[in-house]
Amino acid sequence: EHGARIAIVAGDGSQWSYQQLAQAADDAAALLRGDTAPVIVEAANTVDCIVAYLACLRARCPVLLAEPGSTVRDPRIADTFRAAWVFRASDEGVWRFEPYAAERVAVHPDLCVLLSTSGSTGSPKLVRLSHDNIESNASAIAEYLGITADDRALTSLPAFYSYGMSVINSHLHAGACLLLTEDSVAQDGFWLRAERERATSFAGVPFTFEILERTGFRSRRYPYLRYLTQAGGRLSAEMVKLYAEWAESQGKQFFVMYGQTEAAPRMAYVPPAQLRANAECIGVPIPGSSFELRREDGTLETRPDQPGELVYRGPNVMMGYAVQASDLALGTVVDELRTGDLACRKANGNYYIAGRMSRFVKIVGKRISLDEIERWLEEQGVSAAVGGSDEVIAVAVSGSSEPAALKQRLLQRFGLPAMAVEVALLDPLPKLASGKIDHRSVLRLVREACRKQQRHATLAEGFADILGIASVRDTDSFLDLGGDSVSFVEVSLLLEEHLGHVPDNWEAMTVAALEALRQAQPVQRGPAANDPVRPRLRNSFRIAVAAALSVLLAGEGGLQLRSYLKTGRSAAALLTGQSTVVFNEHWGVPTYRPNHVLADGGDGRYFATNSLGLRSPEIKRDPEPREVRLAVVGASTVAGAYALRNDDTFPSLLEQNLRKAYPKQPINVINAGIEGHTLGQTGRLIEFAVAGLRPNTIIIYPGLNDMTGICHASRGQKAQREPLPAPSMPRWALSSGMLAKNTVALREPPIKARAVDPAAFFPTAYGETLRDIVHKIRARGIEPVLMTVARSFGRGSRQEGMQLAASALYYNSCLDYDGLVKAGKMYNKVIRNVAETEHVTLLDLSRAMPGGRDYFVDGGHFTARGEHFVADYLAHELEARGLASAPMQLGSR
């Protein structure tokens, strides 16, 4: 139906149209036609496996999707259901159909797909899904997700998993494109592929979102991503709200879904617009289906928030189960699905799960029977009890069993990730008064026992335990050992415990290299009083004084250099009266000294201003024909407080990016940032200087110098203690302001009798000032663009955040760290509100830019890497909005 449209982009970049895919599937189906016995497809995310899956559908052969390599590891399903063929990779890595059982079994003509009911446990009990089941579910998913032929989905889940299968089915149904990858979301390759191929969606289970949080997902930009989906188990309400808010702020959608393999597999979803208010819910039934709640006596429960077993009806409800080969010939034997989940319905129509009616858990999206594991242990002669949650399976053993060895056997037998199983000796096993096993206590006691165990002595031991591998070599890496997205989180925590941080690209580093980093950590020493060799502290007074003076002189030299690198205000500059910042009486605002040059050929320092006192090249008053002229206005962050050269500031880097993108078009970007400017001063600079240069667009990066107004407003507060003033020094030494700023890190944080709540003193005029600036810019026929303010702190480590915020805390002495974070969010909220109400383009840098020392020197000034990040971000966003390639028409977004 979709002809030449691209259906698949393979991992190697090759493209397959729908025509080519259909032809390849028909060619492969020729081998199977006339043979209706079941076929096992060991389904990886490769073109070969997708073609094999489609070939089975087109040949009307029931297809059983299985994990690669599973047929050799555990042939019970293949033997029980007498599979005619197995599609798998040979020892040489060639995918092909291989004959399996010679004896054929009868199958029902409607039978389409067979899936295991118990995840990876290998139980020979299959769900029988018809062609109508598969088709109707694919259609419903495409409808409520709004999938169109323009969508491009990354295969973030395995194809043999019912959730992964539904992604394939729904996108092929809609004529969309599948971007095949076997990379984990924890790997850089996944995100490089997402950006390169312009992925519009990907799917995840709860563990996926733990990984996303640890890898800083929400701090990065995804311009092409349209929506995310989550299923495969319960995601915490807190995490749901976090991602719902993120998606809303980014103009994307986040879908939380619910399903079971027996329903092909989706049954419910929460409409994104309702998600924040229903974060604990599974949502409403998918199109064409319905829910009802049944009490224990079989009557319907219709009252809000009252529990009952969740029963589902819809065209995707399975034909029934198969436990033996003869069951494959049966038709549809069920007309509803009793989910086994206790659920309630809210007054607004959204359903939520209250608990399980039987002993099943969902681990990494797979439904696992705790009773089945317990029975297997009994068969092995092990006295054990099994408890569990959707996070971990807890096994309590008694007698002479060795927990570590038993865990290895469990992992191998049931194909579970190592971090999902905990085994501990509990003798006797906990029991209820009735004499039955107390499974709830099993979970609690096993977890407590495992937490008390001594931590791994070496990283190799930790890798072996977490990955479930008997022996780890020094030359092995996480990727070499087959680490996946599930174990990624656990190993990250291991590294944090041993190293104090998680190194970049650690997953590709050898265990020996990581161990070397651990060994290099400083030894923690006890108090000096406990050291048998006490330092000799009886040096002469003169040596001590000389050393102290040397330190002070070196410190003063460093401060002078830092001041000079930043703005050119060195001792010599102040002595001669050549301060870099001067007051422009005509405009009523400070600017840099016009036509001022501070250069040092030794290491490339170059601070130069034009005739208007801007850190920008001279620019003609009248633009050239077709010239795109942009101006970026703001304070010291725009000026490039720590950029050694003019060319290293983000406005200059933006100009360089745009000129590369449009080599035939004249492009100029004006850096109109002046350190210390408040929003009001920025407005005056625009009115009297920048607007006269006739830019097409003015980008406003307000900075947060106005934040000091909170503390000014609170001055009347009783017992508010200010930081000590900088020492009084002559002008030839250094300005007191620069001395104060550059020595913040050397002083203790100011003592605050009581930190104020910024909401109580927030300047309401800030929004009106920004609105007034927008109106004046438009009145001059210029397009305004607003940016939110990026901060280095408030997202990662609190300790690092407070270090980076030291300077900001000094200048906003009435605020504590949490108040500083809150105030920044309040200012950005005002910026977003003005952009929305005035219909102004908003570039939300605060949400796009990562925090931390890689990108920030302090609370708000950028490192060289930070300057490049902002320039790249602006170039991309301006190009996407048409603001970079041609003069804009006023009012367009």
Side-chain angles (χ1 to χ4, degrees), residues 416-489:
L416 294 166
M419 66 174 294
V421 178
E422 291 184 352
V423 182
L425 280 172
L426 292 182
D427 206 353
L429 297 175
K431 293 186 179 181
L432 300 168
S434 62
K436 295 182 178 180
I437 293 293
D438 184 353
H439 288 104
R440 185 169 296 179
S441 293
V442 166
L443 176 62
R444 177 177 56 83
L445 293 173
V446 168
R447 301 216 74 177
E448 288 177 358
C450 289
R451 278 195 292 269
K452 290 177 182 177
Q453 291 177 357
Q454 187 177 6
R455 80 172 197 171
H456 304 106
T458 66
L459 291 175
E461 288 182 12
F463 272 64
D465 186 30
I466 294 170
L467 297 172
I469 297 171
S471 177
V472 173
R473 299 169 300 181
D474 286 347
T475 54
D476 290 332
S477 71
F478 177 78
L479 296 178
D480 294 333
L481 296 168
D484 55 22
S485 57
V486 176
S487 50
F488 179 89
V489 175

Side-chain angles (χ1 to χ4, degrees), residues 185 190-191 194 201-202 208-222 225 227-229 242-243 246-247 250 252-254 795 847-850:
V185 295
F190 184 92
W191 300 108
S201 70
F202 71 92
T208 305
F209 290 85
E210 287 189 30
I211 294 166
L212 294 181
E213 281 303 283
R214 295 193 66 80
T215 55
F217 171 82
R218 290 180 297 108
S219 66
R220 299 194 297 264
R221 291 177 49 253
Y222 311 94
L225 192 65
Y227 69 91
L228 292 74
T229 65
L242 196 65
Y243 275 80
W246 173 83
Q250 298 292 311
K252 306 181 191 305
Q253 292 182 306
F254 179 42
R795 286 178 284 188
R847 285 171 172 156
M849 190 171 187

